[in-house]
């Protein structure tokens, strides 16, 4: 924790605050604005500040003057004498994208003060981030192997996604799995962040109405996955079984595993693109936002303030066209030239709350650019 008298309304003052926030973002911390240090008497003196707009100014500094941006939460503490003045508590959560720099310099923190990071320290922090990314990639590989439809038997391209609290406590999600009704409500709450345009792309969350205990937690899934041990029910008789695959697994460690079975499919036999593979890019957007919403909900329920790791993997993409572009008869669709898409990223709870579209953009933005559909989804990505 550090204490400052004020946030100076000068370029120097803004950069000074940015350096402090960047230094705290490595391990998390708190800044208290409105207290002056009396060094001679080794004590502290209240110095209430004008609160109107102060929190917004701090948030703007944290996102515009630090690279990568840091997302903070600010709380006003009005003074007793005048509620227009008081103190500002700035909470900086541990960032999964640390270290952060200001004016090309990376900052960290010692016991009492901030410091410039050495080249060796910067390399070490970046290596830690890459290690976390490799763990997420390994989780995606595991989910590919757990898929109930063997790779060579799939008619559709499947989406696998993972989320896990990087510094989560063992068993931190256990208490959230005690009620089937509560778990289904948690699943449906995932639509809180989803842009309206893609919320009803099938399969929707209503498909996941079946409950099953799992080795690592519990699952809400579509009826076709009611076979023993996360397998397809051979007697399921509604539509195309593989196309209805939806599995949302919440784990005792706070992690999430997701399977969507109809991300890439053959288009029907009408229109200019009949018989071609299309990728439901809007469906990928919807479930990326849902993954963030569930993670944010778990973080809040378990009082976890650390970083989250996310990963998404989509197969069967080679030769596919964007379904959104195909529906625009004036546009020329781009053929995707790779079989598999995979991406990982990390985010803080504050960023998931303030700018979920940025996180989704890091997670699936490259997919949209490869399909040539990024301009169609610009509004959804900026949410």
């Amino acid at each position: 924790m550090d204490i400052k008298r004020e946030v100076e309304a000068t370029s120097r003052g803004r950069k000074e605050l940015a350096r402090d926030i960047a230094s705290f973002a490595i391990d998390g911390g708190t800044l208290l604005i409105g207290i002056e240090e009396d060094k001679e008497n080794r004590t502290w003196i209240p110095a209430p500040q004008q609160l109107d707009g102060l929190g917004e100014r701090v948030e703007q500094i944290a996102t515009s003057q630090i690279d990568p941006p840091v997302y903070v939460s600010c709380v006003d503490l009005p003074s007793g004498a005048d509620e227009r003045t008081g103190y500002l508590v700035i909470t900086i959560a541990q960032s999964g994208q640390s270290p952060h720099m200001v004016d090309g310099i990376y900052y960290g923190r010692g016991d009492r003060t901030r410091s410039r990071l050495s080249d060796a320290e910067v390399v070490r922090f970046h290596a830690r981030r890459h290690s976390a990314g490799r763990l997420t990639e390994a989780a995606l590989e595991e989910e590919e192997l757990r898929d109930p439809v063997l790779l060579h038997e799939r008619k559709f391209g499947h989406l696998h996604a993972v989320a896990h609290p990087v510094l989560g406590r063992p068993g931190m999600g256990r208490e959230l799995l005690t009620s089937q009704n509560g778990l289904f409500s948690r699943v449906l709450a995932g639509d809180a962040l989803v842009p309206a345009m893609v919320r009803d792309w099938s399969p929707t969350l209503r498909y996941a109405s079946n409950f099953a205990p799992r080795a690592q937690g519990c699952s809400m899934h579509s009826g076709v996955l009611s076979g023993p041990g996360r397998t397809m029910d051979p007697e399921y008789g509604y539509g195309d079984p593989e196309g209805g695959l939806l599995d949302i697994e919440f784990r005792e460690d706070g992690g999430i595993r997701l399977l969507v079975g109809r991300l890439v499919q053959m288009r029907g036999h009408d229109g200019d693109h009949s018989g071609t593979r299309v990728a439901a890019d809007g469906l990928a957007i919807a479930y990326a936002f849902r993954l963030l919403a569930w993670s944010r909900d778990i973080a809040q329920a378990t009082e976890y303030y650390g970083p989250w790791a996310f990963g998404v993997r989509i197969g069967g993409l080679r030769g596919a066209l964007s379904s959104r572009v195909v529906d625009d008869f004036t546009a020329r669709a781009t053929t995707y030239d790779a079989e598999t898409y995979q991406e990982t990223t990390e985010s803080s709870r504050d960023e998931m709350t303030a700018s979920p579209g940025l996180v989704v953009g890091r997670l699936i933005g490259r997919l949209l650019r490869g399909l040539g559909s990024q301009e169609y989804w610009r509004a959804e990505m900026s949410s």
Side-chain angles (χ1 to χ4, degrees):
M1 181 175 181
D2 200 3
I3 292 173
K4 298 175 72 71
R5 184 185 188 280
E6 62 184 344
V7 178
E8 296 180 12
T10 63
S11 176
R12 180 179 178 278
R14 290 190 293 271
K15 288 184 178 180
E16 186 72 11
L17 178 64
R19 295 183 186 107
D20 283 333
I21 292 173
S23 71
F24 273 118
I26 290 178
D27 295 308
T30 304
L31 280 167
L32 177 59
I33 308 297
I35 303 292
E36 183 174 6
E37 182 181 6
D38 184 346
K39 294 183 178 180
E40 182 177 346
N41 295 311
R42 304 183 69 179
T43 187
W44 303 94
I45 303 171
Q49 302 293 305
Q50 288 289 335
L51 294 176
D52 185 30
L54 180 58
E56 291 80 1
R57 186 150 55 97
V58 168
E59 292 172 358
Q60 193 271 337
I61 291 170
T63 56
S64 67
Q65 302 210 8
I66 304 175
D67 186 24
V70 176
Y71 292 85
V72 302
S73 59
C74 299
V75 177
D76 293 343
L77 297 178
S79 65
D82 183 355
E83 291 197 352
R84 294 172 298 179
T85 65
Y87 315 93
L88 184 71
V89 179
I90 308 169
T91 301
I92 305 105
Q94 185 177 36
S95 170
Q97 294 186 285
S98 61
H100 297 259
M101 62 182 177
V102 178
D103 287 343
I105 298 172
Y106 290 100
Y107 289 92
R109 201 155 192 93
D111 290 340
R112 296 187 179 183
T113 60
R114 71 165 188 258
S115 60
R116 295 187 179 190
L117 295 178
S118 67
D119 290 346
E121 289 173 316
V122 172
V123 169
R124 189 177 75 248
F125 282 117
H126 282 302
R128 186 176 73 177
R129 283 175 57 184
H130 292 156
S131 177
R134 286 193 294 270
L135 290 175
T136 306
E137 290 170 356
L140 289 169
E141 292 284 352
E142 180 184 346
E143 290 310 297
E144 181 73 66
L145 294 174
R146 293 180 66 215
D147 195 302
V149 184
L150 296 177
L151 185 59
H152 68 276
E153 295 178 352
R154 295 176 195 169
K155 294 187 297 181
F156 300 93
H158 296 185
L159 176 147
H160 298 94
V162 302
H164 61 92
V166 176
L167 302 173
R169 307 177 300 276
M172 62 176 268
R174 186 178 303 126
E175 296 302 316
L176 306 181
L177 309 179
T178 56
S179 164
Q180 178 176 343
N181 290 336
L183 195 61
F184 187 53
S185 296
R186 191 174 301 278
V187 166
L188 296 181
D191 272 341
L193 290 180
V194 179
M197 183 177 181
V198 296
R199 194 173 298 149
D200 294 329
W201 284 45
S202 182
T204 68
L205 294 180
R206 292 285 176 183
Y207 278 60
S209 58
N210 297 270
F211 172 86
R214 294 275 172 80
Q216 302 297 331
C218 297
S219 164
M220 297 300 299
H221 57 267
S222 54
V224 67
L225 270 175
S226 296
R230 204 195 191 214
T231 60
M232 295 175 65
D233 183 354
E235 298 183 359
Y236 187 81
Y238 300 96
D240 191 309
E242 184 183 348
L245 284 176
L246 178 61
D247 188 63
I248 307 160
E249 185 175 283
F250 295 93
R251 298 193 161 196
E252 290 193 0
D253 65 2
I256 304 167
R257 301 293 185 268
L258 171 67
L259 164 64
V260 181
R262 192 165 55 196
L263 206 289
V264 184
Q265 59 185 310
M266 296 298 293
R267 195 168 178 87
H269 298 291
D270 59 332
D272 293 338
H273 295 286
S274 63
T276 60
R277 297 178 68 79
V278 293
D281 37 3
L283 190 62
I285 292 171
Y287 275 98
F289 273 106
R290 286 163 181 153
L291 193 66
L292 262 63
W294 294 323
S295 301
R296 189 181 66 174
D297 180 43
I298 291 170
Q300 183 174 353
T302 59
E303 298 184 343
Y304 170 74
Y305 297 95
W308 282 78
F310 300 98
V312 64
R313 180 186 181 113
I314 302 171
L317 280 165
R318 188 180 298 278
L321 310 176
S322 159
S323 62
R324 181 68 179 86
V325 177
V326 165
D327 288 338
D328 181 356
F329 299 109
T330 67
R332 181 176 180 179
T334 300
T335 302
Y336 201 77
D337 64 346
E339 180 64 21
T340 302
Y341 173 85
Q342 182 167 297
E343 189 60 87
T344 65
T345 191
E346 291 192 16
S347 181
S348 68
R349 175 173 150 182
D350 288 333
E351 184 185 24
M352 286 188 281
T353 299
S355 300
L358 292 181
V359 187
V360 171
R362 294 201 301 270
L363 199 56
I364 63 170
R366 182 166 55 85
L367 171 70
L368 303 180
R369 291 188 290 274
L371 288 166
S373 65
Q374 71 274 20
E375 292 301 320
Y376 291 88
W377 303 113
R378 186 171 295 278
E380 284 71 22
M381 294 296 98
S382 63
S383 64

